[in-house]
Amino acid sequence: LEAGTAPGKIIATTRTPEKLADFSEKGVIVRQADFDDPASLAEAFTSVDRLLLISTDALDVPGRRLKQHQNAVKAAEEAGVSHVVYTSLINPVNTPVFLAPDHVATEAALAASKMGWTLLRENIYTEMLLGSIGQALGSGQLFSAAGDGKAAYITREDCALAAAAALASSFSGQRTLNITGPEAVSQYDVAAIGAQVTGQPITYIPLELES
């Protein structure tokens, strides 16, 4: 909407349309869609040209998340979608991150399709630091087994802006974009930033992986 796209050209899909009433009031088309119900996707994706596929959080049943993504990719291709923007994971190959295989397989499904695609490989969310910083405030110590490793954390809001920009663009080919923060920081840096923000001393305590 902020990029100037007419509300009537934007389709928002959700399992619970009533939750998007505020967008509907702005003129956005709201449709019911459930990635567990492939039949619902055929109608939801009708007349869609560019589609943003946000990876789900369905981790309760092994394989469910990937099946949801594959359902969406198949339905998008069958509906005639020309380009899919997918929110993936930074460095998804050869990583111990347990979510990575779902992303790798979803990327493969897009690559095997006839559609154009943009892979947004998102780095670790900044918001994930809030819990550890909150705990560190109680003891003055930040515990982690990250060693000297660094990550370019990025906020979910910035990821959303990147996704909206990719969706609104006219790019029609195939590309992979790393979505990261401006600077890679270590847990030592995180402790220092937490201390600066809260005004309380925080010391990083590196842990061995075995502990």
mmCIF file with all atom_site columns, all heavy atoms in Angstrom, residues 143-167:
data_model
loop_
_atom_site.group_PDB
_atom_site.id
_atom_site.type_symbol
_atom_site.label_atom_id
_atom_site.label_alt_id
_atom_site.label_comp_id
_atom_site.label_asym_id
_atom_site.label_entity_id
_atom_site.label_seq_id
_atom_site.pdbx_PDB_ins_code
_atom_site.Cartn_x
_atom_site.Cartn_y
_atom_site.Cartn_z
_atom_site.occupancy
_atom_site.B_iso_or_equiv
_atom_site.pdbx_formal_charge
_atom_site.auth_seq_id
_atom_site.auth_comp_id
_atom_site.auth_asym_id
_atom_site.auth_atom_id
_atom_site.pdbx_PDB_model_num
ATOM 1   N N   . PHE A 1 143 ? 24.621 -15.970 28.806 1.00 0.00 ? 143 PHE A N   1
ATOM 2   C CA  . PHE A 1 143 ? 25.208 -17.275 28.507 1.00 0.00 ? 143 PHE A CA  1
ATOM 3   C C   . PHE A 1 143 ? 24.858 -17.708 27.085 1.00 0.00 ? 143 PHE A C   1
ATOM 4   O O   . PHE A 1 143 ? 23.702 -17.597 26.657 1.00 0.00 ? 143 PHE A O   1
ATOM 5   C CB  . PHE A 1 143 ? 24.690 -18.326 29.493 1.00 0.00 ? 143 PHE A CB  1
ATOM 6   C CG  . PHE A 1 143 ? 25.084 -18.070 30.918 1.00 0.00 ? 143 PHE A CG  1
ATOM 7   C CD1 . PHE A 1 143 ? 24.224 -17.405 31.786 1.00 0.00 ? 143 PHE A CD1 1
ATOM 8   C CD2 . PHE A 1 143 ? 26.320 -18.473 31.395 1.00 0.00 ? 143 PHE A CD2 1
ATOM 9   C CE1 . PHE A 1 143 ? 24.581 -17.158 33.107 1.00 0.00 ? 143 PHE A CE1 1
ATOM 10  C CE2 . PHE A 1 143 ? 26.688 -18.238 32.712 1.00 0.00 ? 143 PHE A CE2 1
ATOM 11  C CZ  . PHE A 1 143 ? 25.827 -17.574 33.571 1.00 0.00 ? 143 PHE A CZ  1
ATOM 12  N N   . SER A 1 144 ? 25.857 -18.198 26.361 1.00 0.00 ? 144 SER A N   1
ATOM 13  C CA  . SER A 1 144 ? 25.630 -18.686 25.006 1.00 0.00 ? 144 SER A CA  1
ATOM 14  C C   . SER A 1 144 ? 26.784 -19.581 24.594 1.00 0.00 ? 144 SER A C   1
ATOM 15  O O   . SER A 1 144 ? 27.914 -19.412 25.063 1.00 0.00 ? 144 SER A O   1
ATOM 16  C CB  . SER A 1 144 ? 25.501 -17.518 24.017 1.00 0.00 ? 144 SER A CB  1
ATOM 17  O OG  . SER A 1 144 ? 25.406 -17.990 22.688 1.00 0.00 ? 144 SER A OG  1
ATOM 18  N N   . ALA A 1 145 ? 26.492 -20.538 23.694 1.00 0.00 ? 145 ALA A N   1
ATOM 19  C CA  . ALA A 1 145 ? 27.531 -21.413 23.160 1.00 0.00 ? 145 ALA A CA  1
ATOM 20  C C   . ALA A 1 145 ? 27.964 -20.961 21.771 1.00 0.00 ? 145 ALA A C   1
ATOM 21  O O   . ALA A 1 145 ? 28.454 -21.751 20.971 1.00 0.00 ? 145 ALA A O   1
ATOM 22  C CB  . ALA A 1 145 ? 27.041 -22.854 23.113 1.00 0.00 ? 145 ALA A CB  1
ATOM 23  N N   . ALA A 1 146 ? 27.773 -19.669 21.477 1.00 0.00 ? 146 ALA A N   1
ATOM 24  C CA  . ALA A 1 146 ? 28.101 -19.133 20.153 1.00 0.00 ? 146 ALA A CA  1
ATOM 25  C C   . ALA A 1 146 ? 29.584 -18.832 19.993 1.00 0.00 ? 146 ALA A C   1
ATOM 26  O O   . ALA A 1 146 ? 30.033 -18.503 18.892 1.00 0.00 ? 146 ALA A O   1
ATOM 27  C CB  . ALA A 1 146 ? 27.292 -17.865 19.892 1.00 0.00 ? 146 ALA A CB  1
ATOM 28  N N   . GLY A 1 147 ? 30.356 -18.921 21.093 1.00 0.00 ? 147 GLY A N   1
ATOM 29  C CA  . GLY A 1 147 ? 31.790 -18.625 21.008 1.00 0.00 ? 147 GLY A CA  1
ATOM 30  C C   . GLY A 1 147 ? 32.021 -17.202 20.536 1.00 0.00 ? 147 GLY A C   1
ATOM 31  O O   . GLY A 1 147 ? 31.403 -16.258 21.036 1.00 0.00 ? 147 GLY A O   1
ATOM 32  N N   . ASP A 1 148 ? 32.895 -17.045 19.536 1.00 0.00 ? 148 ASP A N   1
ATOM 33  C CA  . ASP A 1 148 ? 33.158 -15.730 18.953 1.00 0.00 ? 148 ASP A CA  1
ATOM 34  C C   . ASP A 1 148 ? 32.338 -15.499 17.690 1.00 0.00 ? 148 ASP A C   1
ATOM 35  O O   . ASP A 1 148 ? 32.574 -14.535 16.959 1.00 0.00 ? 148 ASP A O   1
ATOM 36  C CB  . ASP A 1 148 ? 34.651 -15.587 18.610 1.00 0.00 ? 148 ASP A CB  1
ATOM 37  C CG  . ASP A 1 148 ? 35.531 -15.645 19.848 1.00 0.00 ? 148 ASP A CG  1
ATOM 38  O OD1 . ASP A 1 148 ? 35.082 -15.170 20.920 1.00 0.00 ? 148 ASP A OD1 1
ATOM 39  O OD2 . ASP A 1 148 ? 36.665 -16.161 19.752 1.00 0.00 ? 148 ASP A OD2 1
ATOM 40  N N   . GLY A 1 149 ? 31.399 -16.393 17.433 1.00 0.00 ? 149 GLY A N   1
ATOM 41  C CA  . GLY A 1 149 ? 30.600 -16.288 16.214 1.00 0.00 ? 149 GLY A CA  1
ATOM 42  C C   . GLY A 1 149 ? 29.784 -15.005 16.158 1.00 0.00 ? 149 GLY A C   1
ATOM 43  O O   . GLY A 1 149 ? 29.400 -14.449 17.186 1.00 0.00 ? 149 GLY A O   1
ATOM 44  N N   . LYS A 1 150 ? 29.532 -14.548 14.943 1.00 0.00 ? 150 LYS A N   1
ATOM 45  C CA  . LYS A 1 150 ? 28.793 -13.304 14.749 1.00 0.00 ? 150 LYS A CA  1
ATOM 46  C C   . LYS A 1 150 ? 27.593 -13.545 13.837 1.00 0.00 ? 150 LYS A C   1
ATOM 47  O O   . LYS A 1 150 ? 27.582 -14.468 13.023 1.00 0.00 ? 150 LYS A O   1
ATOM 48  C CB  . LYS A 1 150 ? 29.695 -12.233 14.134 1.00 0.00 ? 150 LYS A CB  1
ATOM 49  C CG  . LYS A 1 150 ? 30.838 -11.792 15.038 1.00 0.00 ? 150 LYS A CG  1
ATOM 50  C CD  . LYS A 1 150 ? 31.625 -10.659 14.393 1.00 0.00 ? 150 LYS A CD  1
ATOM 51  C CE  . LYS A 1 150 ? 32.727 -10.157 15.325 1.00 0.00 ? 150 LYS A CE  1
ATOM 52  N NZ  . LYS A 1 150 ? 33.473 -9.008  14.737 1.00 0.00 ? 150 LYS A NZ  1
ATOM 53  N N   . ALA A 1 151 ? 26.600 -12.688 13.985 1.00 0.00 ? 151 ALA A N   1
ATOM 54  C CA  . ALA A 1 151 ? 25.414 -12.737 13.130 1.00 0.00 ? 151 ALA A CA  1
ATOM 55  C C   . ALA A 1 151 ? 24.941 -11.322 12.846 1.00 0.00 ? 151 ALA A C   1
ATOM 56  O O   . ALA A 1 151 ? 25.029 -10.449 13.716 1.00 0.00 ? 151 ALA A O   1
ATOM 57  C CB  . ALA A 1 151 ? 24.295 -13.537 13.799 1.00 0.00 ? 151 ALA A CB  1
ATOM 58  N N   . ALA A 1 152 ? 24.458 -11.097 11.633 1.00 0.00 ? 152 ALA A N   1
ATOM 59  C CA  . ALA A 1 152 ? 23.910 -9.784  11.260 1.00 0.00 ? 152 ALA A CA  1
ATOM 60  C C   . ALA A 1 152 ? 22.405 -9.821  11.500 1.00 0.00 ? 152 ALA A C   1
ATOM 61  O O   . ALA A 1 152 ? 21.611 -10.017 10.576 1.00 0.00 ? 152 ALA A O   1
ATOM 62  C CB  . ALA A 1 152 ? 24.234 -9.464  9.808  1.00 0.00 ? 152 ALA A CB  1
ATOM 63  N N   . TYR A 1 153 ? 22.022 -9.688  12.757 1.00 0.00 ? 153 TYR A N   1
ATOM 64  C CA  . TYR A 1 153 ? 20.609 -9.749  13.141 1.00 0.00 ? 153 TYR A CA  1
ATOM 65  C C   . TYR A 1 153 ? 19.787 -8.707  12.389 1.00 0.00 ? 153 TYR A C   1
ATOM 66  O O   . TYR A 1 153 ? 20.266 -7.618  12.065 1.00 0.00 ? 153 TYR A O   1
ATOM 67  C CB  . TYR A 1 153 ? 20.460 -9.515  14.648 1.00 0.00 ? 153 TYR A CB  1
ATOM 68  C CG  . TYR A 1 153 ? 21.116 -10.561 15.508 1.00 0.00 ? 153 TYR A CG  1
ATOM 69  C CD1 . TYR A 1 153 ? 22.415 -10.384 15.990 1.00 0.00 ? 153 TYR A CD1 1
ATOM 70  C CD2 . TYR A 1 153 ? 20.448 -11.732 15.837 1.00 0.00 ? 153 TYR A CD2 1
ATOM 71  C CE1 . TYR A 1 153 ? 23.030 -11.350 16.782 1.00 0.00 ? 153 TYR A CE1 1
ATOM 72  C CE2 . TYR A 1 153 ? 21.054 -12.706 16.630 1.00 0.00 ? 153 TYR A CE2 1
ATOM 73  C CZ  . TYR A 1 153 ? 22.339 -12.509 17.095 1.00 0.00 ? 153 TYR A CZ  1
ATOM 74  O OH  . TYR A 1 153 ? 22.949 -13.467 17.867 1.00 0.00 ? 153 TYR A OH  1
ATOM 75  N N   . ILE A 1 154 ? 18.527 -9.042  12.131 1.00 0.00 ? 154 ILE A N   1
ATOM 76  C CA  . ILE A 1 154 ? 17.636 -8.119  11.438 1.00 0.00 ? 154 ILE A CA  1
ATOM 77  C C   . ILE A 1 154 ? 16.245 -8.215  12.046 1.00 0.00 ? 154 ILE A C   1
ATOM 78  O O   . ILE A 1 154 ? 15.812 -9.292  12.472 1.00 0.00 ? 154 ILE A O   1
ATOM 79  C CB  . ILE A 1 154 ? 17.597 -8.431  9.925  1.00 0.00 ? 154 ILE A CB  1
ATOM 80  C CG1 . ILE A 1 154 ? 16.780 -7.371  9.181  1.00 0.00 ? 154 ILE A CG1 1
ATOM 81  C CG2 . ILE A 1 154 ? 17.062 -9.833  9.656  1.00 0.00 ? 154 ILE A CG2 1
ATOM 82  C CD1 . ILE A 1 154 ? 16.967 -7.408  7.683  1.00 0.00 ? 154 ILE A CD1 1
ATOM 83  N N   . THR A 1 155 ? 15.549 -7.098  12.102 1.00 0.00 ? 155 THR A N   1
ATOM 84  C CA  . THR A 1 155 ? 14.215 -7.089  12.699 1.00 0.00 ? 155 THR A CA  1
ATOM 85  C C   . THR A 1 155 ? 13.188 -7.682  11.743 1.00 0.00 ? 155 THR A C   1
ATOM 86  O O   . THR A 1 155 ? 13.342 -7.655  10.523 1.00 0.00 ? 155 THR A O   1
ATOM 87  C CB  . THR A 1 155 ? 13.761 -5.663  13.068 1.00 0.00 ? 155 THR A CB  1
ATOM 88  O OG1 . THR A 1 155 ? 13.604 -4.895  11.853 1.00 0.00 ? 155 THR A OG1 1
ATOM 89  C CG2 . THR A 1 155 ? 14.767 -4.984  13.979 1.00 0.00 ? 155 THR A CG2 1
ATOM 90  N N   . ARG A 1 156 ? 12.131 -8.208  12.310 1.00 0.00 ? 156 ARG A N   1
ATOM 91  C CA  . ARG A 1 156 ? 11.045 -8.738  11.486 1.00 0.00 ? 156 ARG A CA  1
ATOM 92  C C   . ARG A 1 156 ? 10.427 -7.624  10.641 1.00 0.00 ? 156 ARG A C   1
ATOM 93  O O   . ARG A 1 156 ? 9.989  -7.863  9.515  1.00 0.00 ? 156 ARG A O   1
ATOM 94  C CB  . ARG A 1 156 ? 9.973  -9.375  12.388 1.00 0.00 ? 156 ARG A CB  1
ATOM 95  C CG  . ARG A 1 156 ? 10.377 -10.717 12.985 1.00 0.00 ? 156 ARG A CG  1
ATOM 96  C CD  . ARG A 1 156 ? 9.196  -11.370 13.682 1.00 0.00 ? 156 ARG A CD  1
ATOM 97  N NE  . ARG A 1 156 ? 9.483  -12.725 14.121 1.00 0.00 ? 156 ARG A NE  1
ATOM 98  C CZ  . ARG A 1 156 ? 9.868  -13.059 15.340 1.00 0.00 ? 156 ARG A CZ  1
ATOM 99  N NH1 . ARG A 1 156 ? 10.036 -12.107 16.249 1.00 0.00 ? 156 ARG A NH1 1
ATOM 100 N NH2 . ARG A 1 156 ? 10.092 -14.318 15.664 1.00 0.00 ? 156 ARG A NH2 1
ATOM 101 N N   . GLU A 1 157 ? 10.383 -6.428  11.181 1.00 0.00 ? 157 GLU A N   1
ATOM 102 C CA  . GLU A 1 157 ? 9.810  -5.302  10.431 1.00 0.00 ? 157 GLU A CA  1
ATOM 103 C C   . GLU A 1 157 ? 10.616 -5.041  9.155  1.00 0.00 ? 157 GLU A C   1
ATOM 104 O O   . GLU A 1 157 ? 10.049 -4.813  8.079  1.00 0.00 ? 157 GLU A O   1
ATOM 105 C CB  . GLU A 1 157 ? 9.772  -4.043  11.291 1.00 0.00 ? 157 GLU A CB  1
ATOM 106 C CG  . GLU A 1 157 ? 9.162  -2.845  10.569 1.00 0.00 ? 157 GLU A CG  1
ATOM 107 C CD  . GLU A 1 157 ? 9.089  -1.604  11.436 1.00 0.00 ? 157 GLU A CD  1
ATOM 108 O OE1 . GLU A 1 157 ? 9.574  -1.649  12.581 1.00 0.00 ? 157 GLU A OE1 1
ATOM 109 O OE2 . GLU A 1 157 ? 8.547  -0.589  10.965 1.00 0.00 ? 157 GLU A OE2 1
ATOM 110 N N   . ASP A 1 158 ? 11.949 -5.073  9.265  1.00 0.00 ? 158 ASP A N   1
ATOM 111 C CA  . ASP A 1 158 ? 12.784 -4.862  8.082  1.00 0.00 ? 158 ASP A CA  1
ATOM 112 C C   . ASP A 1 158 ? 12.607 -6.002  7.082  1.00 0.00 ? 158 ASP A C   1
ATOM 113 O O   . ASP A 1 158 ? 12.641 -5.784  5.861  1.00 0.00 ? 158 ASP A O   1
ATOM 114 C CB  . ASP A 1 158 ? 14.248 -4.722  8.477  1.00 0.00 ? 158 ASP A CB  1
ATOM 115 C CG  . ASP A 1 158 ? 14.568 -3.352  9.053  1.00 0.00 ? 158 ASP A CG  1
ATOM 116 O OD1 . ASP A 1 158 ? 13.778 -2.411  8.816  1.00 0.00 ? 158 ASP A OD1 1
ATOM 117 O OD2 . ASP A 1 158 ? 15.597 -3.211  9.741  1.00 0.00 ? 158 ASP A OD2 1
ATOM 118 N N   . CYS A 1 159 ? 12.437 -7.224  7.587  1.00 0.00 ? 159 CYS A N   1
ATOM 119 C CA  . CYS A 1 159 ? 12.182 -8.350  6.687  1.00 0.00 ? 159 CYS A CA  1
ATOM 120 C C   . CYS A 1 159 ? 10.863 -8.147  5.942  1.00 0.00 ? 159 CYS A C   1
ATOM 121 O O   . CYS A 1 159 ? 10.761 -8.449  4.741  1.00 0.00 ? 159 CYS A O   1
ATOM 122 C CB  . CYS A 1 159 ? 12.132 -9.658  7.481  1.00 0.00 ? 159 CYS A CB  1
ATOM 123 S SG  . CYS A 1 159 ? 13.733 -10.226 8.099  1.00 0.00 ? 159 CYS A SG  1
ATOM 124 N N   . ALA A 1 160 ? 9.868  -7.633  6.641  1.00 0.00 ? 160 ALA A N   1
ATOM 125 C CA  . ALA A 1 160 ? 8.569  -7.383  6.023  1.00 0.00 ? 160 ALA A CA  1
ATOM 126 C C   . ALA A 1 160 ? 8.678  -6.308  4.940  1.00 0.00 ? 160 ALA A C   1
ATOM 127 O O   . ALA A 1 160 ? 8.068  -6.416  3.866  1.00 0.00 ? 160 ALA A O   1
ATOM 128 C CB  . ALA A 1 160 ? 7.545  -6.961  7.085  1.00 0.00 ? 160 ALA A CB  1
ATOM 129 N N   . LEU A 1 161 ? 9.470  -5.277  5.207  1.00 0.00 ? 161 LEU A N   1
ATOM 130 C CA  . LEU A 1 161 ? 9.662  -4.218  4.214  1.00 0.00 ? 161 LEU A CA  1
ATOM 131 C C   . LEU A 1 161 ? 10.362 -4.762  2.969  1.00 0.00 ? 161 LEU A C   1
ATOM 132 O O   . LEU A 1 161 ? 10.006 -4.407  1.839  1.00 0.00 ? 161 LEU A O   1
ATOM 133 C CB  . LEU A 1 161 ? 10.473 -3.072  4.822  1.00 0.00 ? 161 LEU A CB  1
ATOM 134 C CG  . LEU A 1 161 ? 9.769  -2.240  5.887  1.00 0.00 ? 161 LEU A CG  1
ATOM 135 C CD1 . LEU A 1 161 ? 10.747 -1.282  6.559  1.00 0.00 ? 161 LEU A CD1 1
ATOM 136 C CD2 . LEU A 1 161 ? 8.600  -1.463  5.281  1.00 0.00 ? 161 LEU A CD2 1
ATOM 137 N N   . ALA A 1 162 ? 11.354 -5.621  3.184  1.00 0.00 ? 162 ALA A N   1
ATOM 138 C CA  . ALA A 1 162 ? 12.056 -6.222  2.056  1.00 0.00 ? 162 ALA A CA  1
ATOM 139 C C   . ALA A 1 162 ? 11.107 -7.090  1.235  1.00 0.00 ? 162 ALA A C   1
ATOM 140 O O   . ALA A 1 162 ? 11.144 -7.076  0.000  1.00 0.00 ? 162 ALA A O   1
ATOM 141 C CB  . ALA A 1 162 ? 13.240 -7.046  2.548  1.00 0.00 ? 162 ALA A CB  1
ATOM 142 N N   . ALA A 1 163 ? 10.258 -7.847  1.913  1.00 0.00 ? 163 ALA A N   1
ATOM 143 C CA  . ALA A 1 163 ? 9.306  -8.712  1.222  1.00 0.00 ? 163 ALA A CA  1
ATOM 144 C C   . ALA A 1 163 ? 8.305  -7.895  0.419  1.00 0.00 ? 163 ALA A C   1
ATOM 145 O O   . ALA A 1 163 ? 7.976  -8.227  -0.726 1.00 0.00 ? 163 ALA A O   1
ATOM 146 C CB  . ALA A 1 163 ? 8.580  -9.603  2.234  1.00 0.00 ? 163 ALA A CB  1
ATOM 147 N N   . ALA A 1 164 ? 7.814  -6.805  1.014  1.00 0.00 ? 164 ALA A N   1
ATOM 148 C CA  . ALA A 1 164 ? 6.855  -5.943  0.319  1.00 0.00 ? 164 ALA A CA  1
ATOM 149 C C   . ALA A 1 164 ? 7.495  -5.316  -0.911 1.00 0.00 ? 164 ALA A C   1
ATOM 150 O O   . ALA A 1 164 ? 6.868  -5.210  -1.978 1.00 0.00 ? 164 ALA A O   1
ATOM 151 C CB  . ALA A 1 164 ? 6.341  -4.865  1.266  1.00 0.00 ? 164 ALA A CB  1
ATOM 152 N N   . ALA A 1 165 ? 8.757  -4.896  -0.781 1.00 0.00 ? 165 ALA A N   1
ATOM 153 C CA  . ALA A 1 165 ? 9.464  -4.290  -1.913 1.00 0.00 ? 165 ALA A CA  1
ATOM 154 C C   . ALA A 1 165 ? 9.659  -5.298  -3.040 1.00 0.00 ? 165 ALA A C   1
ATOM 155 O O   . ALA A 1 165 ? 9.480  -4.978  -4.219 1.00 0.00 ? 165 ALA A O   1
ATOM 156 C CB  . ALA A 1 165 ? 10.809 -3.739  -1.452 1.00 0.00 ? 165 ALA A CB  1
ATOM 157 N N   . ALA A 1 166 ? 10.019 -6.521  -2.681 1.00 0.00 ? 166 ALA A N   1
ATOM 158 C CA  . ALA A 1 166 ? 10.211 -7.557  -3.696 1.00 0.00 ? 166 ALA A CA  1
ATOM 159 C C   . ALA A 1 166 ? 8.900  -7.897  -4.388 1.00 0.00 ? 166 ALA A C   1
ATOM 160 O O   . ALA A 1 166 ? 8.860  -8.137  -5.603 1.00 0.00 ? 166 ALA A O   1
ATOM 161 C CB  . ALA A 1 166 ? 10.811 -8.809  -3.060 1.00 0.00 ? 166 ALA A CB  1
ATOM 162 N N   . LEU A 1 167 ? 7.823  -7.909  -3.616 1.00 0.00 ? 167 LEU A N   1
ATOM 163 C CA  . LEU A 1 167 ? 6.514  -8.232  -4.180 1.00 0.00 ? 167 LEU A CA  1
ATOM 164 C C   . LEU A 1 167 ? 6.043  -7.134  -5.126 1.00 0.00 ? 167 LEU A C   1
ATOM 165 O O   . LEU A 1 167 ? 5.462  -7.405  -6.179 1.00 0.00 ? 167 LEU A O   1
ATOM 166 C CB  . LEU A 1 167 ? 5.500  -8.429  -3.049 1.00 0.00 ? 167 LEU A CB  1
ATOM 167 C CG  . LEU A 1 167 ? 4.112  -8.929  -3.457 1.00 0.00 ? 167 LEU A CG  1
ATOM 168 C CD1 . LEU A 1 167 ? 4.191  -10.321 -4.074 1.00 0.00 ? 167 LEU A CD1 1
ATOM 169 C CD2 . LEU A 1 167 ? 3.175  -8.937  -2.249 1.00 0.00 ? 167 LEU A CD2 1
#
